[in-house]
Amino acid sequence: MRRPLVALFVLPALFVVACGGDDEPSRADTAEKGSEFCDRAAVAETRGDEVNQVGTDPAKVEPAVKAALESADAALELAPTDVVEVMTRVVDYQHRVADLLEANGWDLVATYATDEGAALFGDDAAQADRDSVRAYLEEKCGIVDDSTTDTSDTTATSDASGSSGSDVDL
């Protein structure tokens, strides 16, 4: 089963609890709806969706991926203690994907076709981590996982209007 590109860029945002006199926020034990963490997670979800919607044009992929990473990093900054470890692995994975995309000129199809890309995109442990974060966000923040569309290939598609899309499993 192939997973849409957005699957890689879904990340939660955290509730910040200020600690006395410290500029660094302490981590909440868990996320709560309406918290800053959940707000950041919602932004990350939206930006992840945007990555999947830009198609395969490298000029559109690059800014979409960079925006999604920025949101992922912002969410991780506030990740509650009960999810920070798995989120750290997910964000690290997303950065590795972005690095590989950059090395391949932000070309999704070319990136997927490399041996490193095939291994990275087929990493079952990374997928399990992403699934875990998605489930956490749905349960704690009410952010519905809309990345479950099953696809059967990694080709770019285009419709009658000329817009293209990509279901490259990132």
Side-chain angles (χ1 to χ4, degrees), residues 2-168:
R2 288 194 356 79
R3 297 159 198 104
L5 178 62
V6 71
L8 297 183
F9 291 97
V10 175
L11 288 181
L14 294 181
F15 179 72
V16 177
V17 179
C19 48
D22 221 349
D23 288 341
E24 290 294 316
S26 64
R27 294 190 184 276
D29 290 336
T30 194
E32 296 178 17
K33 287 181 186 175
S35 66
E36 185 176 352
F37 170 78
C38 290
D39 291 346
R40 288 185 185 190
V43 170
E45 168 68 17
T46 298
R47 287 188 176 168
D49 290 346
E50 291 166 1
V51 169
N52 204 40
Q53 295 168 358
V54 298
T56 59
D57 178 356
K60 294 179 181 176
V61 170
E62 180 180 4
V65 168
K66 286 181 176 182
L69 284 175
E70 181 181 299
S71 294
D73 290 339
L76 180 59
E77 199 173 87
L78 299 177
T81 57
D82 64 347
V83 74
V84 70
E85 184 177 326
V86 69
M87 279 190 63
T88 298
R89 290 192 305 264
V90 169
V91 173
D92 177 63
Y93 175 85
Q94 291 172 340
H95 279 276
R96 288 182 301 175
V97 168
D99 290 346
L100 188 58
L101 280 165
E102 183 175 21
N104 285 280
W106 298 97
D107 184 323
L108 291 170
V109 177
T111 300
Y112 193 88
T114 67
D115 289 341
E116 186 179 357
L120 191 59
F121 301 139
D123 185 335
D124 290 336
Q127 182 60 46
D129 284 344
R130 291 189 307 272
D131 290 344
S132 176
V133 169
R134 276 193 219 95
Y136 181 91
L137 292 177
E138 190 162 345
E139 176 187 343
K140 302 289 185 172
C141 299
I143 299 170
V144 178
D145 176 13
D146 59 0
S147 65
T148 58
T149 304
D150 185 21
T151 58
S152 59
D153 67 84
T154 61
T155 60
T157 59
S158 84
D159 62 22
S161 69
S163 67
S164 17
S166 176
D167 291 323
V168 176

